[in-house]
């Protein structure tokens, strides 16, 4: 083809600050075409210009740095550019109820990360790199071990420890896998042959179950529109009709009853979950997707109910699929947009906003629990927060919940990114994630105080949940380092503590992970003392599971990270949830006891060696009444670590008065301490100890 019109214009080697920030094409001229057209000041930052240097030049610079360090001179790190810091800012605008913000991973330029990466290092994050990790159950089904999954993390630690102690792979016969805890007594077919409609409770009983559902999860998630749902409920009980047990509302009603039974019924028969009859019948009656789209608003609520119930049964894959259907159905109806009130009406728009943010939050959290990448770009969302007449706090709670969910997505997309490096790139991503977390610390404490140290006020269930989720973000962002140092401990047990003490920054990051784990247990203990532990849904169980794993790993890395007091409280919380009929908690505790037994063989000065591979102690899979005294190793040394940057005189490690919180200043102090010298130290430590 002739003519200049067929040529492809080459991308400019340099871009102005404005074009780089907005991720748009820049002409490279001074001023560039875009700024000139808009009559804006065009600024080129030489620090952003890409240059090529030889490998010898980089080695020479490293050699000079080593000489300067040996001479005692301080090397000031190069600060991040203002544009990079601005792009990474996690704050949502406080002056607007609109919460539209693109995911951090969408803004990142791969070329920028390639430039800041240390080209001499091939070290990788074992939780998110290398060949995908899988584990097979006894029935032959293979499960993918997601990168950020709590379940996956524990299995990886178990496998690593078992292989080190016994030089053989971890047997999976006694382990529990996705969807294997409960038996719904249903083959999955929607045929109604041989399936009777379960007897619905009386009106008073139904009202009681519905109110329990509203109290237990209605403040966090929107599962049904109260006005429409209750209107049809009264019609159902006052005007019996031939087709009263058909239609989407009846399916919705059965699902709400299933939740109610799950919340109030503490003893189960065998391995059949409470409310299973109602839940199974609802799934059998559920029409296909093409029919659900005829009533998209209520159908999305129904799909949310199904996903949340399945999540409570530890059917994570199925729950993730159903919430994915709900997400697509909601987007197809435009719920993620600013729906026009003047055209659709106030009630419908407010209901759709409640539905959308419930779907959004559940999708973010369930995707993280699966250890999978997030699929929704926040740039496409511009709907507003719902309003609750007479309850501004509920709107604020949804806003905070959304912010924390976005931080979870940021951590998944950066710290656990594919081929994420354990050296410079990994620590910079950790630093960015901690900065996002720190931005919420003071706001969370101010807007949703816990009051755990007050006798005149109980703990708010909403506040407790938000704080638990917040501390889980800290654990999620920092526990890859814990995993790495467990590997160092196994590879070089005599040098691990010395290596760890070499970098105060890395030690403080792990200490932060430990402190947040204790905070989680402290909050759950307060809920337990007031009878507010959530024993059916998986929220509190995930929290206690995450924190206990971290505290069990601590002594294996450094015996000064020993917390018998908090482990005792953790197992007591497990017992409470198990006593309420939660079989998932029973199996989770069993895995922790197995990990406890394995780790206790190794870190002590006189390790307890086992003559044969361990199994679940005391027949725990079949006996929930396992004495707590054998559930964690005896303490030989109280916690004696200096907190360094995290030091707080209000922390009492050996008693029950653990009421201090990590402030924004403390978290940022740790984040800001991550500099180039720490990234180089991390690389050298991994190479020296031949971890990869």
């Amino acid at each position: 083809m002739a003519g200049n019109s067929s040529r492809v214009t080459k991308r400019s080697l340099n871009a102005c600050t404005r074009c780089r920030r907005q991720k748009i094409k820049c002409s490279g001229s001074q001023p560039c075409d875009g700024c000139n057209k808009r009559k804006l000041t065009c600024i080129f930052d030489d620090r952003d210009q890409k240059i090529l240097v030889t490998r010898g030049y980089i080695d020479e610079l490293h050699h000079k740095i080593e000489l300067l360090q040996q001479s005692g001179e301080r090397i000031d790190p190069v600060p991040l550019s203002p544009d990079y810091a601005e792009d990474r800012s996690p704050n949502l605008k406080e002056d607007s109820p609109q919460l539209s913000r693109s995911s951090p991973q969408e803004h990142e330029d791969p070329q920028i990360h390639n430039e800041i990466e240390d080209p001499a290092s091939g070290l990788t994050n074992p939780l998110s790199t290398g060949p995908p990790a899988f584990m097979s159950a006894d029935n032959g089904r293979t499960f993918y071990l997601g990168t950020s999954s709590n379940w996956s993390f524990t299995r990886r630690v178990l496998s690593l420890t078992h292989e080190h102690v016994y030089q053989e792979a971890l047997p999976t016969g006694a382990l529990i896998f996705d969807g294997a805890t409960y038996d719904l007594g249903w083959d999955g077919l929607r045929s109604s042959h041989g399936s009777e409609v379960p007897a619905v409770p009386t009106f008073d009983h139904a009202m009681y179950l519905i109110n329990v559902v509203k109290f237990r999860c209605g403040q966090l998630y929107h599962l049904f529109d109260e006005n429409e749902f209750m209107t049809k409920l009264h019609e159902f009980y006052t005007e019996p009709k031939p087709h009263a047990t058909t239609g989407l509302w009846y399916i919705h009603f059965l699902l709400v009853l299933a939740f109610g039974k799950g919340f109030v019924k503490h003893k189960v028969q065998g391995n059949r979950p409470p409310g299973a009859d109602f839940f199974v019948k609802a799934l059998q009656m559920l029409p296909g997707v093409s029919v659900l789209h005829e009533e998209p608003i209520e159908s999305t609520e129904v799909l949310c109910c199904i996903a949340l119930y399945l999540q409570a049964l530890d059917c994570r894959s199925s729950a993730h699929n159903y919430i994915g259907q709900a997400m697509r159905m909601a987007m197809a109806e435009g719920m993620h947009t600013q729906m026009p009130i003047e055209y659709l009406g106030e009630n419908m728009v407010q209901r759709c906003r409640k539905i959308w943010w419930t779907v959004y939050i559940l999708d973010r959290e369930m995707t993280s629990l699966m250890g999978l990448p997030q699929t929704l770009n926040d740039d496409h969302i511009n709907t507003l927060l719902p309003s609750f007449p007479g309850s501004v706090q509920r709107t604020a709670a949804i806003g905070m919940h959304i912010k924390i969910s976005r931080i979870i997505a940021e951590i998944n997309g950066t710290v656990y990114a594919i081929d994420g490096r354990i050296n410079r790139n990994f620590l910079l991503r950790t630093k960015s994630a901690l900065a996002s977390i720190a931005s919420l610390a003071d706001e969370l404490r101010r807007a949703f105080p816990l009051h755990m140290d007050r006798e005149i006020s109980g703990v708010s269930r909403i506040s407790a949940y938000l704080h638990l989720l917040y501390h889980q973000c800290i654990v999620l962002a920092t526990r890859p380092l814990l995993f790495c140092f467990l590997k160092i401990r196994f590879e070089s047990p005599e040098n691990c503590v010395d290596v760890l003490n070499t970098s105060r920054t890395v030690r403080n990051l792990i200490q932060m992970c430990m402190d947040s784990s204790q905070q989680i247990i402290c909050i759950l203990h307060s809920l337990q003392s007031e009878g507010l532990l959530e024993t059916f849904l998986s929220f509190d169980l995930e929290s206690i599971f995450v924190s206990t794993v971290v505290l069990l790993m601590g002594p294996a890395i450094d015996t000064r990270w020993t917390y018998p007091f908090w482990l005792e409280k953790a197992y007591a919380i497990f017992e409470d949830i198990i006593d309420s009929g939660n079989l998932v908690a029973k199996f989770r505790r069993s895995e922790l006891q197995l990990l406890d037994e394995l780790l206790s063989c190794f870190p002590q000065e006189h390790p307890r060696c086992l003559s044969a591979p361990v199994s679940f102690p005391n027949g725990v899979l079949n006996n929930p009444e396992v004495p707590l005294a054998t559930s964690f190793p005896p303490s030989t040394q109280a916690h004696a670590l200096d907190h360094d940057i995290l030091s707080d005189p209000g922390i009492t490690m050996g008693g029950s008065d653990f009421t201090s919180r990590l402030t924004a200043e403390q978290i940022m102090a740790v984040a800001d301490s991550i500099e180039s010298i720490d990234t180089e130290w991390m690389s050298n430590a991994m190479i020296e100890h031949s971890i990869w």
Side-chain angles (χ1 to χ4, degrees), residues 528-564:
Q528 180 188 27
S529 63
E530 296 190 27
L532 291 177
L533 268 181
E534 180 47 63
T535 59
F536 178 67
L537 297 181
S538 60
F539 308 142
D540 293 350
L541 178 57
E542 285 294 335
S543 297
I544 193 62
F545 185 61
V546 167
S547 57
T548 308
V549 171
V550 168
L551 296 184
L552 285 175
M553 294 175 68
I557 298 172
D558 188 334
T559 54
R560 288 176 292 178
W561 274 320
T562 303
Y563 306 99

Side-chain angles (χ1 to χ4, degrees), residues 364-365 368 404-412 469 473 476:
R364 283 284 192 263
E365 295 178 5
S368 176
I404 298 177
S405 296
R406 284 180 169 166
I407 291 177
I408 292 175
E410 177 182 346
I411 295 171
N412 288 347
L469 203 60
C473 287
L476 188 65

Side-chain angles (χ1 to χ4, degrees), residues 193-402:
H193 296 296
S195 176
E196 299 180 355
V197 177
V200 297
T202 63
F203 177 77
D204 290 340
H205 191 185
M207 287 295 298
Y208 166 69
L209 295 177
I210 292 170
N211 285 328
V212 170
V213 175
K214 288 168 57 179
F215 175 75
R216 287 291 186 179
C217 59
Q219 300 178 78
L220 291 170
Y221 302 111
H222 171 88
L223 299 182
F224 58 89
D225 181 73
E226 186 169 357
N227 291 332
E228 181 175 319
F229 188 87
M230 299 306 294
T231 298
K232 292 183 178 180
L233 178 74
H234 285 280
E235 293 177 355
F236 175 80
Y237 277 98
T238 58
E239 300 178 14
K241 298 178 181 178
H243 302 291
T245 58
T246 61
L248 192 59
W249 176 85
Y250 183 72
I251 297 173
H252 204 171
F253 175 52
L254 293 178
L255 291 171
V256 174
L257 292 179
F259 273 111
K261 289 290 186 178
F263 290 131
V264 302
K265 190 175 181 180
H266 290 170
K267 298 297 181 182
V268 295
Q269 297 296 328
N271 58 349
R272 188 169 173 81
D277 291 339
F278 297 117
F279 182 74
V280 169
K281 189 59 184 180
L283 288 187
Q284 290 175 337
M285 297 178 62
L286 188 70
V289 176
S290 58
V291 178
L292 288 176
H293 274 287
E294 296 178 3
E295 299 181 62
I297 295 179
E298 187 163 18
S299 293
T300 307
E301 294 171 339
V302 166
L303 292 172
C304 284
C305 290
I306 295 174
L308 197 57
Y309 188 90
L310 288 172
Q311 187 74 21
L313 305 189
D314 203 35
C315 299
R316 296 181 301 276
S317 297
S318 299
H320 187 253
N321 284 327
Y322 273 105
I323 202 61
Q325 289 186 27
M327 172 70 75
R328 283 154 182 77
M329 186 169 292
M331 293 185 71
E333 295 303 310
M335 295 185 192
H336 61 297
T337 68
Q338 292 195 40
M339 305 175 75
I341 294 178
E342 61 276 8
Y343 181 73
L344 299 174
E346 177 72 21
N347 292 336
M348 179 177 177
V349 170
Q350 289 296 334
R351 182 179 181 182
C352 288
R353 289 175 182 172
K354 296 173 186 176
I355 294 173
W356 169 257
W357 289 119
T358 292
V359 173
Y360 176 92
I361 291 170
L362 286 175
D363 178 73
R364 283 284 192 263
E365 295 178 5
M366 289 182 181
T367 299
S368 176
L369 291 174
M370 286 290 294
L372 302 177
Q374 303 286 346
T375 58
L376 179 64
N377 187 343
D378 285 346
D379 280 337
H380 302 150
I381 304 171
N382 62 357
T383 187
L384 305 179
L385 290 177
S387 60
F388 298 89
S391 181
V392 180
Q393 186 76 352
R394 288 193 65 183
T395 302
I398 292 178
M400 179 58 67
H401 204 170
I402 294 168

Side-chain angles (χ1 to χ4, degrees), residues 464-610:
Y465 178 73
L466 293 175
H467 280 267
L468 289 171
L469 203 60
Y470 172 83
H471 284 289
Q472 286 189 66
C473 287
I474 296 177
V475 173
L476 188 65
T478 54
R479 71 182 179 190
L481 287 173
L482 200 65
F483 187 86
C484 290
F485 275 94
L486 185 64
K487 296 191 73 174
I488 293 178
R489 183 74 169 93
F490 290 158
E491 296 293 332
S492 305
E494 67 282 355
N495 298 326
C496 180
V497 176
D498 292 337
V499 173
L500 185 59
N501 288 334
T502 305
S503 174
R504 174 174 291 188
T505 296
V506 175
R507 190 177 189 91
N508 277 330
L509 286 171
I510 298 178
Q511 181 67 64
M512 182 182 291
C513 185
M514 297 287 178
D515 287 350
S516 282
S517 297
Q518 294 171 79
Q519 284 283 10
I520 289 173
I521 296 174
C522 184
I523 295 170
L524 291 174
H525 175 70
S526 296
L527 292 173
Q528 180 188 27
S529 63
E530 296 190 27
L532 291 177
L533 268 181
E534 180 47 63
T535 59
F536 178 67
L537 297 181
S538 60
F539 308 142
D540 293 350
L541 178 57
E542 285 294 335
S543 297
I544 193 62
F545 185 61
V546 167
S547 57
T548 308
V549 171
V550 168
L551 296 184
L552 285 175
M553 294 175 68
I557 298 172
D558 188 334
T559 54
R560 288 176 292 178
W561 274 320
T562 303
Y563 306 99
F565 172 79
W566 295 107
L567 284 172
E568 182 178 3
K569 285 192 174 297
Y571 281 107
I573 292 169
F574 267 106
E575 289 298 321
D576 201 342
I577 299 177
I578 293 171
D579 288 343
S580 297
N582 192 314
L583 297 183
V584 180
K586 179 181 177 180
F587 290 119
R588 293 286 182 90
R589 184 196 62 177
S590 301
E591 292 190 11
L592 293 177
Q593 289 177 318
L594 174 57
L595 177 61
D596 192 351
E597 288 287 330
L598 290 170
L599 289 175
S600 65
C601 298
F602 187 73
Q604 308 297 330
E605 295 181 358
H606 302 286
R608 173 165 52 94
C609 298
L610 301 182

Side-chain angles (χ1 to χ4, degrees), residues 667-689:
I667 298 175
M668 282 307 303
V670 175
D672 290 339
S673 69
I674 302 175
E675 302 295 357
S676 58
I677 188 173
D678 296 299
T679 62
E680 295 302 328
W681 174 89
M682 195 72 188
S683 296
N684 294 335
M686 296 300 171
I687 294 173
E688 180 180 353
H689 295 277

